[in-house]
């Protein structure tokens, strides 16, 4: 969990690399559905463009449907749940072991999101300052063009941060009360990551070949 732009996708990538979990990102899933113009995608589009959350029943159905396929593997959810009703629906279906909360100040986030570029087909994320592609505007692996997300416009970012305050912050209390919330605060992913890594090492074996936990 964490506000938009707090580094959920970036930290998720590192977690996958080290701990071999299956990853499900609600944002990536919604963007794939929008590109394919599925029923879910068409509903989601108007909400996302306005910086609003997609209705609980829509996103919950989508996520639970996907999780069925991952049933046999340990998984990492990124961007879901974002409201208390979503958290309650998830609890009915699965037991959540740990919730990682990235607590990054809003001022830091606003700067980051104007510099975010993505490769839509894979969900790969770049940042012109923090993690630039090898060639400006081009995905490292496919050579395809990068795009900026429509909802990363400054006015839409403000709406998303507001939605986070109102609807998502209560989810932190929900998990704190259950005793599974771990909060990591800071302004730089590279400083937050070693703490997340150390925490997860107490729960899961590191299956990566690499020794340096600080490397991407
Ligand atoms: N400047 C800076 N950018 C970062 C840092 N960590 C992540 N980013 C970038 O900030 C943007 C948001 O990160 P992302 O992982 O997509 O956040 P999410 O929206 O929570 O999934 C992306 O462009 C990242 O590359 C950091 O420590 N410093
Ligand atoms: N769990 C969710 N509930 C409702 N809407 C969601 C959820 N996850 C993603 N969305 C929608 O997709 C948009 C993009 O989500 P995401 O890619 O996770 O971006 P970010 O973390 O940068 O806000 C959100 O602004 C919201 O409209």
């Amino acid at each position: 969990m964490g506000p938009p732009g707090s580094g959920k996708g970036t930290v998720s990538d590192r977690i996958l690399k080290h701990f071999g979990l299956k990853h499900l990102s609600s944002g990536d899933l919604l963007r794939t559905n929008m590109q394919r113009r599925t029923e879910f995608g068409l509903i989601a589009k108007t909400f996302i463009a306005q910086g609003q959350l997609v209705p609980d029943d829509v996103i919950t159905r989508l996520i639970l449907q996907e999780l069925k396929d991952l049933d046999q593997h340990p998984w990492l959810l990124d961007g879901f749940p974002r409201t208390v009703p979503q958290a309650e629906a998830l609890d009915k279906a699965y037991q959540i072991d740990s919730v990682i909360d990235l607590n990054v100040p809003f001022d830091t986030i606003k700067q980051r999101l104007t510099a975010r570029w993505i490769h839509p087909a894979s969900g790969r994320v770049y940042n012109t300052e923090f993690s630039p592609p090898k060639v400006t505007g081009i995905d490292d692996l496919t050579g395809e063009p990068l795009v900026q997300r429509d909802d990363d416009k400054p006015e839409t970012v403000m709406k998303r941060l507001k939605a986070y305050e109102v609807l998502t912050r209560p989810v932190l209390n929900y998990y704190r009360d259950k005793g599974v919330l771990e909060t990591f605060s800071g302004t730089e992913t590279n400083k937050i990551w070693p703490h997340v890594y150390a925490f997860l090492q107490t729960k899961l074996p590191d299956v990566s070949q690499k020794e340096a936990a600080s490397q991407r």
Side-chain angles (χ1 to χ4, degrees), residues 4 8 26-27 30-31 52 54 79 82 86 116 149 160:
K8 298 183 296 294
S26 56
L30 288 168
R31 281 183 288 278
Q52 291 176 0
V54 171
R82 264 170 146 110
Q86 290 178 20
R116 171 158 70 182
R149 278 170 45 177
R160 287 158 63 204

Side-chain angles (χ1 to χ4, degrees), residues 10-28:
T10 306
V11 169
S12 293
D13 279 350
R14 296 184 190 189
I15 293 176
L16 303 196
K17 200 166 158 194
H18 285 279
F19 298 104
L21 300 170
K22 297 275 179 183
H23 177 219
L24 186 56
S25 153
S26 56
D28 286 351

Side-chain angles (χ1 to χ4, degrees), residues 23-40:
H23 177 219
L24 186 56
S25 153
S26 56
D28 286 351
L29 192 58
L30 288 168
R31 281 183 288 278
T32 305
N33 273 272
M34 287 193 291
Q35 273 161 17
R36 294 191 187 145
R37 295 175 200 278
T38 66
E39 187 199 338
F40 282 121

Side-chain angles (χ1 to χ4, degrees), residues 3-216:
S6 56
K8 298 183 296 294
T10 306
V11 169
S12 293
D13 279 350
R14 296 184 190 189
I15 293 176
L16 303 196
K17 200 166 158 194
H18 285 279
F19 298 104
L21 300 170
K22 297 275 179 183
H23 177 219
L24 186 56
S25 153
S26 56
D28 286 351
L29 192 58
L30 288 168
R31 281 183 288 278
T32 305
N33 273 272
M34 287 193 291
Q35 273 161 17
R36 294 191 187 145
R37 295 175 200 278
T38 66
E39 187 199 338
F40 282 121
L42 293 173
I43 300 171
K45 200 172 175 178
T46 43
F47 291 94
I48 293 179
Q50 290 168 19
Q52 291 176 0
L53 293 186
V54 171
D56 285 337
D57 60 322
V58 175
I59 188 71
T60 302
R61 264 194 296 146
L62 194 59
I63 292 283
L64 291 181
Q65 186 178 302
E66 291 288 318
L67 284 179
K68 270 194 203 148
D69 296 336
L70 303 183
D71 225 347
Q72 302 307 311
H73 302 273
W75 39 251
L76 174 70
L77 276 177
D78 161 5
F80 183 95
R82 264 170 146 110
T83 66
V84 171
Q86 290 178 20
E88 287 168 347
L90 184 63
D91 260 348
K92 284 201 184 117
Y94 297 98
Q95 190 199 321
I96 302 303
D97 300 310
S98 300
V99 177
I100 294 173
D101 165 34
L102 303 179
N103 180 26
V104 177
F106 283 6
D107 280 346
T108 307
I109 282 170
K110 285 180 215 159
Q111 287 167 14
R112 277 183 193 182
L113 291 185
T114 53
R116 171 158 70 182
W117 288 79
I118 64 162
H119 176 241
S122 66
R124 266 187 293 284
V125 177
Y126 299 86
N127 187 283
T128 45
E129 292 157 30
F130 173 69
S131 53
K134 289 181 186 135
V135 179
T136 305
I138 300 293
D139 178 49
D140 288 350
L141 296 191
T142 62
E144 289 168 357
L146 301 176
V147 298
Q148 284 200 285
R149 278 170 45 177
D150 283 342
D151 60 342
D152 279 347
K153 288 195 289 271
E155 62 273 22
T156 316
V157 167
M158 293 306 291
K159 288 187 195 156
R160 287 158 63 204
L161 291 174
K162 193 151 191 196
Y164 174 82
E165 275 302 336
V166 175
L167 296 165
T168 308
R169 207 175 273 288
V171 184
L172 299 181
N173 293 334
Y174 177 90
Y175 285 125
R176 193 175 290 117
D177 290 348
K178 287 188 179 289
V180 290
L181 185 74
E182 292 293 325
T183 294
F184 300 90
S185 302
T187 56
E188 291 172 54
T189 299
N190 287 345
K191 290 196 177 152
I192 290 179
W193 165 244
H195 298 282
V196 175
Y197 178 81
F199 166 70
L200 282 175
Q201 253 198 328
T202 67
K203 310 255 169 199
L204 292 163
D206 183 340
V207 293
S208 75
Q209 303 298 315
K210 299 226 167 77
E211 279 200 351
S214 58
Q215 296 301 306
R216 219 183 147 184

